[in-house]
Amino acid sequence: MKKILVKKNIDIIERYQRELTILGQTGALLGWDKETYMPKKGATSRAEQFALLGKIMHEKAIDDEFFNAVKKLRNVKLNKKYSLMIKKLYK
């Protein structure tokens, strides 16, 4: 695979991972807020927020663009960091 295509697929994977990390951090913040400051009547709203966040994260995690980028790099010789990343993501 050409270097430019490898770079493009790594960029796609890193973008998805970065977005999933940010969404996960947002979920953690919502969870913390729920446990510490959420108004008594905020449970329904918070549940809707968690549900939407979970849906978005799931859609990103199973997105074809993400999966295809991982799949394309599965048998490409990469440095240790990226090889490990692809191996873990492909499982």
Side-chain angles (χ1 to χ4, degrees), residues 16-63:
Y16 274 85
Q17 287 187 304
R18 188 171 43 258
E19 290 171 358
L20 286 165
T21 297
I22 291 168
L23 290 168
Q25 292 168 341
T26 303
L29 182 59
L30 283 173
W32 172 80
D33 183 63
K34 181 184 92 169
E35 297 297 323
T36 59
Y37 293 108
M38 186 179 73
K40 290 180 182 180
K41 295 183 180 182
T44 300
S45 176
R46 189 67 77 239
E48 290 172 347
Q49 293 165 348
F50 273 118
L52 179 58
L53 192 58
K55 178 184 175 204
I56 293 168
M57 290 178 72
H58 178 73
E59 288 171 352
K60 287 207 166 290
I62 64 166
D63 190 275

Side-chain angles (χ1 to χ4, degrees), residues 62-77:
I62 64 166
D63 190 275
D64 286 340
E65 181 183 39
F66 183 52
F67 177 74
N68 289 333
V70 172
K71 189 175 176 183
K72 287 175 186 174
L73 295 178
R74 186 170 178 227
N75 296 313
V76 174
K77 185 164 175 67

